[in-house]
Amino acid sequence: MSKLVPALLEWFATNARKMPWRETHDPYAVWVSEIMLQQTQVKTVIPYWERWMRDLPDVAALAAAPAAKVLKLWEGLGYYSRARNLHAAAQLIVEKFGGHFPRAFSDILELPGVGRYTAGAIASIAYNDPAPILDGNVMRVLTRVFGIDGDPRGKATNQQLWALAAQLVEHAANQPHSAKTRACSHLNQSLMELGALVCTPRQPACPACPVRQLCVAQRDQRTQELPALAPRGATTARRFVAFVITRGNRHLVQQRPSGVVNAGLWEFPNLELKAAATPPAERVALPTGRIVRATTSLGSLTHSITRYRITVEVFRAELLEDSPQPDEHWVSATELEELAFTSAHRKIVARLG
Ligand code: SF4
C-alpha cells in the first residue's frame, strides 16, 4: 500500500485523459457522467453528457423535465432504465433534499439507480471522501496486482476486493495534503484509468505500467490468467419483423407501454418471430390487432443488448385491417427525428432518410 498508492497518484497526475466531467466537482455532473459511463465507452458518452448538461444543467432542471425530453437526450445510449432512474432520483432529491445533491454516502446510495460502485464514485470524485469503488477495470487491476485467484464476481473474492479498494482509498486519504490534492478522488480514478489504458483485458502494457514492480501477476507471468472470471451465459438469438407503414408522408409508429423493457420509447409496428418461422406471410396479424401485408424488403439489421442478439427484418408494408390503438401515431419525417426511438428502430429511421 505504501508504495502502490503514491505510484498510482503520480501516474494519474500526468496520464489522466481529459474528460469534460473531470473539469468539475459538481456532484450532479459527476453523477450524470457515472450513470452514462455504466455499459458505455467514454468517447460515446462525451457528446451525450455535454448535451445533457447544456439542456438539464442541474437537479432542478432534470426533475422538472418531461419524461419524453429525458428519453430523447438519452436516445442511443441504451439501457433506458438508467435515464428513468436519473429522472426519478432528481425528483426525489427535490422532495427530500430541497434540490441539493445529498452529501452523505448513505443518502447517495438510496437514490434510484445508484449502487455501491456509483455512490463510491460520486462521494470520492465530487467530495473527495475515502469511499471505495470496484468496477470491471478496478477488479482487473486489483486481482492482478495482488495475485488474487478467485472469481472477482464470486461473493468471497468480491468482498476481498472491496476491502482492498477501501484500504487503498483510506491510504490515499492519509497522504500529506490529501484534501488539497484530492487524493481520494484521484486514487479511485487512477485505478479505473489504469484498467482502461494500461492493464487492459487481453494485452496489458506491463512495461509501461507504473506499478509493474509491485504486481504479482506481472512477476509470476500470470497476466493472462487473471482475473479468473467465471464464463458468462451464452447469448440468445431473437428475431423480429418490423413494418414501415406510410400514408402520404406520415409513418405509423407506436410507443412502448410502461412496465416493459424500453418503456416510453417509440418503435415501428413489429412482432417477434418464433425461431423457425419464415417472415412475412401474406397477412400478418400484429399484437396490436392490425393486419398488414409486407410489400418490399428494407433489409435486416442486428442489435445486441445484454445477452440477446437481436435480428430485425424490416419491410415496407400496407395496412389490410386497421384497429386504432391509443399509443399509435402517424408522424412526419421531422417528428421521427424528434421522438426517442429504441436503438434498433432508430436504425430503421436512418434507412428511411
Ligand atoms: S504490471 Fe501489468 S498486469 Fe500488473 S497492473 Fe500493470 S499492466 Fe496490469
Side-chain angles (χ1 to χ4, degrees), residues 141 144-145 194 198-200 204-206 209 211-212 215 217-218 223:
V141 171
R144 285 174 173 168
V145 169
L194 193 71
V198 180
C199 194
T200 51
C206 300
C209 179
V211 299
R212 64 189 174 282
C215 177
Q218 146 78 2
T223 56

Side-chain angles (χ1 to χ4, degrees), residues 52-304:
W52 182 288
M53 293 304 295
R54 198 176 54 236
D55 285 14
L56 303 172
D58 51 33
V59 169
L62 172 55
K69 176 169 185 167
V70 174
L71 287 177
K72 184 63 187 169
L73 284 167
W74 201 269
E75 186 191 28
L77 276 178
Y79 303 97
Y80 289 85
S81 59
R82 294 183 293 169
R84 278 188 286 274
N85 280 331
L86 275 170
H87 199 200
Q91 289 165 345
L92 189 127
I93 294 170
V94 167
E95 268 171 40
K96 206 169 159 188
F97 302 101
H100 300 290
F101 198 89
R103 177 67 186 82
F105 179 85
S106 56
D107 289 332
I108 300 172
L109 193 55
E110 276 187 20
L111 298 175
V114 172
R116 190 175 174 188
Y117 162 79
T118 305
I122 297 167
S124 60
I125 296 171
Y127 301 133
N128 197 41
D129 285 349
I133 55 157
L134 187 68
D135 68 352
N137 282 329
V138 180
M139 277 179 193
R140 190 165 56 254
V141 171
L142 295 185
T143 51
R144 285 174 173 168
V145 169
F146 291 96
I148 293 170
D149 290 312
D151 175 3
R153 295 200 189 93
K155 194 172 174 198
T157 306
N158 197 261
Q159 281 176 353
Q160 183 186 3
L161 291 168
W162 272 108
L164 273 173
Q167 284 174 38
L168 285 168
V169 76
E170 275 154 25
H171 205 88
N174 292 327
Q175 297 287 298
H177 316 297
S178 67
K180 192 159 165 242
T181 60
R182 300 192 67 79
C184 297
S185 164
H186 289 186
L187 185 277
N188 278 353
Q189 292 187 77
S190 75
L191 289 168
M192 292 191 269
E193 197 79 335
L194 193 71
L197 298 181
V198 180
C199 194
T200 51
R202 274 177 285 280
Q203 289 193 311
C206 300
C209 179
V211 299
R212 64 189 174 282
Q213 308 288 358
L214 309 166
C215 177
V216 172
Q218 146 78 2
R219 183 195 68 198
D220 297 348
Q221 301 187 338
R222 299 185 62 213
T223 56
Q224 297 304 313
E225 290 165 34
L226 299 175
L229 289 163
R232 292 201 189 252
T235 56
T236 304
R238 294 178 71 181
R239 292 170 64 214
F240 290 80
V241 57
F243 299 98
V244 177
I245 302 164
T246 307
R247 246 185 218 160
N249 61 359
R250 292 184 170 267
H251 307 288
L252 180 61
V253 293
Q254 60 197 30
Q255 191 170 26
R256 291 180 64 77
S258 59
V260 303
V261 175
N262 291 336
L265 295 181
W266 292 82
E267 62 184 8
F268 293 91
N270 64 88
L271 81 165
E272 185 164 7
L273 297 172
K274 297 236 165 55
T278 50
E282 184 65 12
R283 286 167 61 87
V284 181
L286 298 181
T288 51
R290 290 174 190 265
I291 309 286
V292 301
R293 176 170 57 211
T295 52
T296 47
S297 170
L298 290 172
S300 65
L301 56 89
T302 55
H303 182 69
S304 292

